[in-house]
Amino acid sequence: MTKISSSDVRKVANLARLELAEDQIETYTAQLEEILSYVDQLQAIDTQNILPTSRAVEVVNAMRDDVVEVNCSREDILN
């Protein structure tokens, strides 16, 4: 696992045009290191036979049939 350094956090903050105080840099360094450790845990999961999805639950649109109905006459609309 790659270790995140304070200089890495400073570089990313500079690219994002963020001004960070020194205590924030140390905080974000630790937080980013934790995030990467979680990603390493996810890398260990076998997903060989799992199909890729965009949602956890499939969403199906409830569509109704189009039915042409006459609500108003042409004269009513033009008036």
Side-chain angles (χ1 to χ4, degrees):
M1 179 169 85
T2 305
K3 201 77 167 123
I4 297 293
S5 67
S6 297
S7 64
D8 293 332
V9 174
R10 283 186 189 91
K11 181 177 180 178
V12 171
N14 184 42
L15 291 172
R17 309 240 191 281
L18 297 173
E19 290 186 28
L20 299 178
E22 196 60 35
D23 61 331
Q24 290 177 311
I25 290 174
E26 296 304 320
T27 301
Y28 291 141
T29 301
Q31 289 176 352
L32 287 171
E33 191 64 40
E34 281 187 51
I35 290 169
L36 288 180
S37 72
Y38 293 135
V39 171
D40 280 345
Q41 290 177 16
L42 293 175
Q43 296 290 342
I45 298 173
D46 180 23
T47 59
Q48 192 68 25
N49 296 321
I50 307 296
L51 295 174
T53 61
S54 60
R55 295 182 177 87
V57 178
E58 188 62 34
V59 176
V60 178
N61 287 337
M63 305 291 279
R64 62 176 172 80
D65 293 332
D66 283 339
V67 178
V68 177
E69 295 179 0
V70 178
N71 292 329
C72 298
S73 68
R74 183 171 184 232
E75 290 77 28
D76 290 339
I77 294 173
L78 290 175
N79 284 334

